[in-house]
Amino acid sequence: MQTLARVLAGAPDRPALARLPLDKAIEVVAEATRSVDDAGRARLAELPVYAALTERAARWCTSTRWHRRLKGVRLLVILGAGQDAVPPLLEDPRAEVRSAAAAWAANQPSPQIATRLVRMLSDEALACRLTAHRTLVRMGLHAVPAIISHMTEESPASLATALLVASRVHDSSLMGPALAHRNHSDPEVRAAVAQVIASGGGTDGVEGLEGFLTDPAPAVRATAAAGLGGLGHWPSSPLLAELLGDPAWEVRRAAGLALDRLGGPGQLYLQRALHSTDRFAQDMARQVLDRGGTGTGTESGTGTGTGTGTTLAVFATNGKERR
């Protein structure tokens, strides 16, 4: 460890490392590479032990035994190497190996790898789909062309997954391709489109989300309401207030929380809903306001209550309870 520290510090000489058992060599190199930059990694790559570990890991990646291939990928993740050895394993017959290769790709962005990861979003193994999702999000802008190309998928499940990834990448160029599916027949796809719109913001985004507030699918209406709350667009308060009486609980909940996030204007509509003739709207407004301590329930530290019941506030006073 002291020798590797000297190398990372830029020592002009390249001191020899003591011969260590394989597991110990991997341990010390892994510790040294935990938080190094590209320059530090380049210095480590000049050491014979680093080159030897890289060569061994690359050989493991070609093994007929899947657990050895998995071990090789994981070692190359530690070493930050494997540009030639790992990409073919994205097509490995074992899901464990494919998932490990997808995790390795997070620090090796390229159009070819991004395209393969987007295809992996439809993988039969859940671990592969989740890892590909996380990796594409980490790739960010490098993954945008591959995501856009995947938005032409005919499978609703694949299209919805690609849109969900797009909603977390936060790139304005994804908005247009996503909006092309705003009238898709599958509600899961429309809900994913709403998430992409919410992540992009802007005037077009607000108008798109407001249009989704009348969608026939509850999941789409709920996503649009949550998106407007996240964008902080207070002029949408009247539209959100109308959803407090929606037949679907998830929509009422999303609208109530969105109004709560909008601050003063949203709070005003929640207060008005307390006196609505719609029981759904009353109950949801009360739930949201009581949740934040701003409604007709308990105010912080007061112990008073009005409305549907009595609220008890317990205070500690000299070791005793006062109600």
Side-chain angles (χ1 to χ4, degrees):
M1 292 298 296
Q2 292 175 350
T3 302
L4 291 178
R6 288 181 57 199
V7 173
L8 288 172
D13 57 329
R14 292 291 178 265
L17 285 170
R19 294 184 61 84
L20 297 173
L22 178 62
D23 59 337
K24 292 297 181 183
I26 293 174
E27 180 181 340
V28 295
V29 173
E31 183 66 26
T33 58
R34 189 179 302 274
S35 59
V36 299
D37 56 14
D38 291 340
R41 196 178 295 277
R43 287 194 289 270
L44 288 176
E46 298 177 6
L47 295 174
V49 65
Y50 189 97
L53 288 176
T54 302
E55 291 172 3
R56 179 170 297 202
R59 287 200 305 272
W60 284 343
C61 288
T62 61
S63 174
T64 56
R65 300 179 180 180
W66 72 267
H67 60 84
R68 187 161 284 183
R69 297 197 300 275
L70 179 60
K71 188 176 180 180
V73 175
R74 288 175 172 172
L75 180 53
L76 289 171
V77 170
I78 292 172
L79 299 173
Q83 288 77 2
D84 296 325
V86 178
L89 298 182
L90 291 167
E91 310 283 352
D92 196 271
R94 294 290 303 200
E96 298 89 342
V97 180
R98 295 197 302 274
S99 179
W104 168 91
N107 295 320
Q108 308 289 338
S110 72
Q112 296 78 15
I113 290 178
T115 299
R116 178 62 190 90
L117 288 171
V118 168
R119 292 203 305 268
M120 194 180 285
L121 294 173
S122 304
D123 196 283
E124 60 183 12
L126 177 61
C128 293
R129 297 198 300 270
L130 292 177
T131 306
H133 190 137
R134 289 193 298 267
T135 299
L136 286 167
V137 172
R138 287 188 60 186
M139 281 185 172
L141 298 179
H142 298 283
V144 168
I147 295 172
I148 291 176
S149 67
H150 200 66
M151 287 186 189
T152 59
E153 280 285 318
E154 295 183 1
S155 166
S158 298
L159 177 56
T161 304
L163 287 166
L164 290 176
V165 174
S167 70
R168 297 186 59 194
V169 172
H170 305 293
D171 185 80
S172 58
S173 62
L174 293 166
M175 183 77 73
L179 287 173
H181 302 286
R182 64 167 56 182
N183 297 319
H184 198 279
S185 60
D186 192 290
E188 186 179 358
V189 173
R190 297 198 303 276
V193 171
Q195 288 199 32
V196 176
I197 295 173
S199 69
T203 303
D204 292 340
V206 169
E207 293 176 354
L209 289 176
E210 289 181 342
F212 276 130
L213 292 178
T214 58
D215 192 276
V220 181
R221 298 197 299 276
T223 302
L228 287 169
L231 293 176
H233 187 68
W234 65 264
S236 298
S237 297
L239 298 176
L240 292 170
E242 293 178 6
L243 293 183
L244 291 174
D246 194 277
W249 180 87
E250 61 181 301
V251 179
R252 300 197 298 273
R253 178 70 169 170
L257 294 177
L259 287 168
D260 191 43
R261 295 187 66 179
L262 293 179
Q267 295 286 336
L268 177 61
Y269 278 94
L270 287 171
Q271 293 285 351
R272 287 180 180 177
L274 292 174
H275 308 288
S276 172
T277 57
D278 188 320
R279 185 61 183 271
F280 280 161
Q282 282 186 33
D283 289 346
M284 185 51 65
R286 184 173 294 111
Q287 287 182 37
V288 174
L289 290 171
D290 283 352
R291 167 182 169 271
T294 57
T296 58
T298 301
E299 292 289 343
S300 177
T302 64
T304 60
T306 61
T308 59
T310 302
T311 305
L312 297 178
V314 180
F315 299 86
T317 307
N318 297 327
K320 298 180 180 180
E321 289 185 348
R322 174 165 59 85
R323 295 184 182 269

